[in-house]
Each structure stands twice: as C-alpha cells, then as structure tokens.
Amino acid sequence: MLDKLKITLQYLMPKHALSRFVGKFAAAEAGWLTTRAIKSFIKAYEINMAEAKYQRAEDFATFNDFFTRELADGVRPIDNDVNTLCFPVDGTISQQGDIVDGQLIQAKGFNYSLVSLLGGEKETAQPFENGKFSCIYLAPKDYHRIHMPMDATLREMIYVPGELFSVNPLTANNVPNLFSRNERVVTIFDTEHGQLAMVLVGATIVASIETTWAGTITPPAGKDIFRWQYPAQGNNAITFKKGDEMGRFKLGSTVVSTFSPKMVEFNEQDGPGTVTRLGQPYATLVKE
C-alpha cells in the first residue's frame, strides 16, 4: 500500500519544478547551511569520505561540489587489460543482457524500446539492434562522475526531454518505459570494436547532467530534442581512453549503455543486484 502511494505521488508531484528548486540550493554557496546539509547527507547515507580527495564538509563551497566530489588518487584503479571493459560508475546493476527485437528489459514484466531510449530515430538505434545493454543505478551515496568503459571517439550527443521520475528500484518495477520517458542525454561513440551508447538518465531532484566536452546540458529543460554531431578524425575529434571521465550527475540517477552485436560479453557472475565499482572488469571484448 505504501509503495503504491509513493508511485502515485510521483505521477502527481511537479517533478521538474521541484528538481530545479533543489538545484538552486545545491548550486548556492550558502556557508554554514551548505556545510550542515553536507554533514547531514554524509550521515544519512553513510558515505565513505575516506575515498574522497577532500574529506571534510567544510572543504566544499556548494552541495554540488560535494556531490560530484573527486576520488582520492588510486582509490579506483582502472583495469589495464586491453581485452576488457571497465565499469563506468560506482552503482548497482539493475538489468543487463541482450537487446531482443529492439527491446531492453527494465524490470520483470516491463520492457522498453531501444529506438525511444536513444532519441526516436531508427538510424541511431540500428547499430545496436541485437546487441547488448547494461543499466547501472547510482544511489545517492555513490560517486557520481561517469567514466569511459573503453577507448572511444565521440560521434553524437542527443538531448531528449522528458519526465523526471525517480529511477530507484521501486520506480523501475512500477513505472512503464521509465528510462525512455525520463529526460536524458544520449552519447554515441565509435570504438575499434563497434559502437557504444551511454545514456545519462535524469531523475527527480537531479539538478544537472553535464559532459566533460560541453558542460551543463540540462537544465534548462526544453520540449525539443537537440542533436550535436562531432568529427570522427582530426584536431577537433573528441577522444577518450578507458577510465577517462566523460560526465557527471548532480544528484543520483542511472546510466544505460548499449553495445553493437558481437562486441562484448558481460562477466558471467554479474547481473541484477551486482554492486559495481569504477575501473573493475565489466565485460570482455568478443574476438571474431
């Protein structure tokens, strides 16, 4: 009964307005008030600040600075095996597996469309048909910078407007098409082994989604889909090595990654509920 009430409230609440309001406080240099909010957050979510580069609440001018805090050097070593991908974030796997008939698994009884997830154009989704996907949920306690699982070159970025439902497990199990209806930033990469998409999904109270090459993508929110193309070669090409930072969330959310067919095989022992740590082995490249 309580779970049903929580879901109903999410449909009714002004999610965008609430998220932008919280975002203003999170970005404000509010002195002692900011420090108190950070200390309360650390206590409530039992955050291990020993892993952070800066460890005191007083070290952060804004709540956003704290939330997107850097890790201390050496805390998340990047797996250096050229035949493996590394986890892109700290979080928990929600679902992962095969993309079947253009559908991804959200939760038991719920699938969602690959085309819709990637912005609505079949041409964008086509390279990933019959490939694989992985969905990783970032809880409030997690490190909230997103890194590359493999070497890649940016091809396209797409801003897709949408709702701002929470993306926690309760919502994922009860709100149809959650990841293809929420606001999101889709990033498409070329690699030597196929194409990779990383979808940064917004959520309630997510004050901002940023990328390292373009800065803040949202807010402001809009009603139109926007697309940016990037060169594949030359001085203006945007390239990444495995483990490089590519974006960040200001308050928690989800990353959905999709891979071309016959490109990767996920670790057999990993699946829904597996805790992920940036840099650890995620998948193995398929050798033809």
Side-chain angles (χ1 to χ4, degrees), residues 228-244:
W228 296 263
Q229 307 289 333
Y230 300 93
Q233 298 177 339
N235 293 335
N236 294 323
I238 300 173
T239 61
F240 296 87
K241 293 294 185 182
K242 181 166 71 169
D244 286 349

Side-chain angles (χ1 to χ4, degrees), residues 94-170:
S94 299
Q95 295 287 339
Q96 69 180 20
D98 296 329
I99 300 170
V100 179
D101 295 330
Q103 297 288 307
L104 292 74
I105 299 171
Q106 175 178 308
K108 185 177 181 180
F110 285 143
N111 290 350
Y112 59 105
S113 162
L114 173 67
V115 173
S116 296
L117 174 71
L118 299 183
E121 291 194 359
K122 292 182 179 180
E123 293 79 5
T124 305
Q126 192 278 328
F128 305 102
E129 293 284 352
N130 302 313
K132 291 188 179 293
F133 81 97
S134 180
C135 179
I136 302 177
Y137 166 66
L138 287 74
K141 65 180 176 60
D142 289 321
Y143 168 67
H144 275 78
R145 298 191 183 197
I146 306 146
H147 296 248
M148 294 300 298
M150 63 190 303
D151 294 358
T153 300
L154 181 66
R155 166 74 69 82
E156 185 176 14
M157 179 171 70
I158 308 164
Y159 166 74
V160 185
E163 297 278 1
L164 284 177
F165 284 96
S166 170
V167 290
N168 61 29
L170 173 64

Side-chain angles (χ1 to χ4, degrees), residues 1-8 170 174:
M1 186 67 177
L2 180 58
D3 287 351
K4 185 177 291 188
L5 176 60
K6 289 179 179 178
I7 296 300
T8 300
L170 173 64
N174 288 277

Side-chain angles (χ1 to χ4, degrees), residues 20-37:
R20 303 319 176 205
F21 174 78
V22 172
K24 288 184 181 298
F25 170 74
E29 296 185 11
W32 67 268
L33 188 59
T34 292
T35 300
R36 178 172 290 183

